[in-house]
Amino acid sequence: MHNMKGIHENRIRRLNNEDIIYEKGPVVYWMNRDGRVHDNWALLYAQERARELKVPLVVMYNLEIGFGGGGLRQHDFKVRGIREVSEDLRKLNIPFYLLIHQKKNKDEKGQGKEMHDWLDSIDAGLLVTDFFPLRHPRAWADYMRKNIEIPMYGVDAHNIVPTWVTSDKQEFAARTMRPKLHRLLPEYLTNFPKMRKMKPDNMSAIDNQDINWEDLLTGQKFSYDVSTVDWINPGYTAGMSQLKVFIQKRFDVYADERNNGLVRGQSDLSPYLHYGQIAPQRVAWQVVQHVDVPIEKILSADRNGAASKNSAAAFLEELIIRRELSDNYCFYNSDYDNTKGFHEWAQKTLNEHANDKREYIYTFKAFEDARTHDELWNAAQREMVTTGKMHGYMRMYWAKKILQWSRSIEEAYQTAITLNDRYSLDGRDPNGFVGVAWSIGGVHDRAWFERDVFGKIRYMAESGVQKRFSVKEYIAKFPPEENDEK
Ligand code: FAD
């Protein structure tokens, strides 16, 4: 039920059994996955607890340089968003603290210990964090949960229906997840309350930290070079304006155009959603307001899911059902990031075809440099390398071909994940792990006709792409650079 300030109590989990010690210092929100001030259930909850305990509220962000194989491209997008967070917090009289970790000390213990020491140094009284189902952030939270001596709470500020509420197990496919979410969404898909402005003396809860943003943005070293992109601006304000433009100008044709790689038919919101710069729940709420139809009607009108011809139904299927299904997979499957996570039928069929002759075999480098025999594949790779986004439809083709042209299934999996995380702005996300696992390992899919290499995993051919849009025009959109070797 909705308790404090409209925050659903099921959204909040108590993560340890430490008691409140009165007369302690601030409530701290450790911002991790949800890098925004507005529409953030974890921050709203932290603020309510600070008010209740009559103590200050502080926000801390734990930045790992090069997290999950990202480089400058992802770092820049994330850090610019965080800088906006610090400014938005200041307007509400909430101090912000940034802890920075270099990759070399990325183990949970090192990170956890630094956070723990910092909490001690400000005499924090209660810790709130958001929900991030991936391995490393989970291990950090686990370390904190076990080691701190103050109460710790986790709040799912990312999913509309908290992952642990939708289901208590790994869901088999969208068709098993969908009815659960359809039932729960009318209760959870609400508008957000606004954050309150704190009294000015809240700012003195911790010493002012002078963050050198320019140095943080430009002075870091990464293990490989991937440039920033300029077609999309990071941060809450930019994300909300992108959402507005999408709803006003492109939303009505989403159902028809989203699979067309030649036009801008998708929302392009995934980088904002990945870094938590805007809330998926805000996006869904705005869409429902735009079409002015209750969520239960949108969902019940059309049972075709992603294939729907209705833009609201098709978009909410992707934004809610598919996205939250990815979190479900990563949360409940400890092998979400390797091929052992695939369903048994898929592992069996892939193993049976492990020694099938591959017509082409490419190294990681050949894939990375877009040097395959297939100009369509190369164009998709170049789209991702140059823009930070590969069209959603092409992502499936791209990953399936990596399976077809790799020496082994494990190698294919690693190649796809590494390239996706290195070049995509929205990489290192549950959606990426699931997108690759769906393409290569049949996760959330069913068995198809058996064929070489793929076994019963669904196959995709260039002719399938051609049915959606002109392959020739797509290739022309992302030509090789003049000096590219053939
Ligand atoms: P829209 O079509 O406008 O959809 C709106 C939102 O719905 C997206 O931002 C996303 O949050 C969600 N969504 C859309 N399609 C899917 C899907 N198939 N599964 C889960 N959620 C979905 N998505 C990522 O966010 N990060 C990734 O790293 C990623 N890697 C992928 C890798 C492969 C091999 C495949 C097949 C898919 C991958 N996806 C990934 C899913 C999907 O392709 C992208 O979410 C989508 O193309 C992003 O563009 P958009 O925001 O314009 O999407």
Side-chain angles (χ1 to χ4, degrees):
M1 291 300 100
H2 299 94
N3 58 359
M4 330 167 83
K5 263 201 98 186
I7 308 168
H8 202 300
E9 62 187 12
N10 293 348
R11 210 173 265 296
I12 304 152
R13 288 193 308 169
R14 182 134 192 197
L15 299 182
N16 63 8
N17 292 319
E18 300 295 330
D19 290 325
I20 297 260
I21 304 170
Y22 290 90
E23 290 166 21
K24 272 253 198 217
V27 167
V28 174
Y29 165 36
W30 163 22
M31 179 183 276
N32 197 3
R33 188 186 199 187
D34 293 282
R36 64 184 181 279
V37 172
H38 310 287
D39 303 336
N40 183 332
W41 292 119
L43 180 55
L44 283 160
Y45 178 68
Q47 181 166 59
E48 285 312 298
R49 294 307 304 264
R51 283 166 52 80
E52 169 202 309
L53 297 166
K54 300 194 175 38
V55 295
L57 170 65
V58 173
V59 174
M60 177 264 284
Y61 191 91
N62 174 45
L63 176 70
E64 180 180 301
I65 311 282
F67 172 73
L72 178 63
R73 175 173 291 175
Q74 293 83 4
H75 175 80
D76 182 83
F77 201 91
K78 183 200 283 188
V79 171
R80 284 180 198 279
I82 294 302
R83 177 161 66 180
E84 189 174 342
V85 163
S86 73
E87 289 157 8
D88 286 350
L89 285 171
R90 194 173 318 121
K91 291 181 200 146
L92 297 173
N93 291 323
I94 303 171
F96 174 76
Y97 195 86
L98 188 65
L99 272 170
I100 303 169
H101 294 274
Q102 297 298 331
K103 221 172 165 236
K104 56 180 173 2
N105 61 357
K106 80 165 188 190
D107 67 304
E108 301 75 61
K109 238 172 151 182
Q111 298 244 0
K113 171 119 183 32
E114 277 187 51
M115 283 193 274
H116 189 174
D117 288 349
W118 179 76
L119 289 173
D120 278 351
S121 76
I122 62 159
D123 195 27
L126 187 144
L127 182 64
V128 177
T129 192
D130 44 44
F131 166 72
F132 204 155
L134 300 189
R135 194 175 303 289
H136 290 294
R138 250 172 106 167
W140 303 332
D142 220 38
Y143 177 90
M144 299 298 279
R145 181 176 73 76
K146 290 183 187 144
N147 288 282
I148 58 175
E149 299 84 24
I150 54 173
M152 178 170 174
Y153 293 84
V155 179
D156 191 345
H158 212 81
N159 293 291
I160 301 174
V161 183
T163 297
W164 51 83
V165 171
T166 308
S167 174
D168 58 5
K169 59 176 195 304
Q170 184 189 324
E171 289 298 324
F172 196 73
R175 75 185 143 75
T176 65
M177 182 86 171
R178 199 175 291 120
K180 296 184 170 155
L181 279 170
H182 281 195
R183 187 168 51 76
L184 291 159
L185 277 165
E187 187 180 339
Y188 284 85
L189 182 52
T190 58
N191 199 354
F192 288 91
K194 277 200 166 33
M195 281 290 291
R196 299 172 201 255
K197 188 166 177 172
M198 306 291 282
K199 297 215 175 82
D201 64 355
N202 188 68
M203 278 306 279
S204 46
I206 56 171
D207 292 340
N208 183 41
Q209 182 192 23
D210 206 6
I211 302 169
N212 184 340
W213 292 103
E214 277 323 305
D215 179 60
L216 190 57
L217 283 163
T218 54
Q220 308 304 320
K221 285 210 168 28
F222 299 95
S223 36
Y224 49 86
D225 232 13
V226 182
S227 62
T228 56
V229 293
D230 58 11
W231 64 274
I232 180 166
N233 291 317
Y236 171 78
T237 309
M240 289 301 282
S241 90
Q242 174 107 311
L243 169 63
K244 195 167 164 198
V245 171
F246 169 63
I247 290 182
Q248 282 174 355
K249 304 242 165 84
R250 308 202 302 275
F251 181 76
D252 294 341
V253 294
Y254 180 81
D256 295 328
E257 297 289 19
R258 70 187 187 283
N259 285 326
N260 183 347
L262 301 177
V263 299
R264 200 174 177 196
Q266 296 184 281
S267 69
D268 291 340
L269 289 174
S270 61
Y272 300 106
L273 297 173
H274 167 71
Y275 295 102
Q277 294 176 353
I278 61 172
Q281 184 163 342
R282 168 61 61 199
V283 177
W285 180 257
Q286 297 300 110
V287 164
V288 171
Q289 302 310 300
H290 171 72
V291 295
D292 200 16
V293 177
I295 180 79
E296 44 281 49
K297 276 216 165 135
I298 299 176
L299 299 173
S300 63
D302 198 320
R303 293 279 170 202
N304 290 323
S308 174
K309 282 282 157 207
N310 171 309
S311 280
F315 183 74
L316 294 179
E317 165 78 16
E318 302 290 8
L319 176 78
I320 307 179
I321 314 295
R322 303 288 165 152
R323 196 183 45 73
E324 302 205 353
L325 181 62
S326 300
D327 263 33
N328 169 280
Y329 182 74
C330 295
F331 187 54
Y332 290 115
N333 187 331
S334 56
D335 283 315
Y336 72 81
D337 54 356
N338 65 72
T339 58
K340 290 196 214 86
F342 300 171
H343 298 300
E344 235 174 83
W345 69 263
Q347 296 202 41
K348 181 166 177 281
T349 191
L350 284 165
N351 281 336
E352 282 164 5
H353 290 270
N355 296 323
D356 288 359
K357 187 170 164 25
R358 272 83 170 144
E359 203 178 339
Y360 302 91
I361 289 183
Y362 296 107
T363 59
F364 176 83
K365 189 83 177 85
F367 281 122
E368 183 171 35
D369 295 344
R371 281 188 285 110
T372 76
H373 65 284
D374 178 351
E375 278 312 318
L376 175 59
W377 193 95
N378 295 345
Q381 170 69 11
R382 283 193 294 265
E383 178 177 26
M384 178 172 72
V385 169
T386 53
T387 71
K389 172 171 183 166
M390 185 189 300
H391 190 275
Y393 190 77
M394 287 309 298
R395 272 179 144 164
M396 301 185 272
Y397 179 84
W398 173 86
K400 283 180 179 292
K401 295 295 158 188
I402 295 179
L403 169 62
Q404 196 172 343
W405 307 325
S406 290
R407 203 157 294 151
S408 72
I409 160 85
E410 288 78 17
E411 194 173 306
Y413 181 85
Q414 275 318 322
T415 299
I417 289 285
T418 307
L419 291 177
N420 189 49
D421 291 354
R422 185 171 291 185
Y423 293 102
S424 298
L425 271 175
D426 64 9
R428 308 165 302 158
D429 190 273
N431 283 346
F433 289 107
V434 170
V436 171
W438 179 89
S439 308
I440 289 182
V443 166
H444 300 148
D445 202 1
R446 64 176 170 85
W448 290 73
F449 307 110
E450 195 151 3
R451 56 178 299 140
D452 283 356
V453 184
F454 283 76
K456 291 179 184 161
I457 304 294
R458 185 197 297 243
Y459 177 75
M460 247 176 111
E462 183 179 312
S463 54
V465 180
Q466 181 62 39
K467 280 191 201 136
R468 305 273 178 176
F469 53 89
S470 157
V471 164
K472 204 168 149 208
E473 281 178 53
Y474 179 78
I475 295 171
K477 263 181 91 176
F478 305 103
E481 295 213 343
E482 299 262 296
N483 55 0
D484 270 6
E485 283 175 39
K486 271 277 117 190

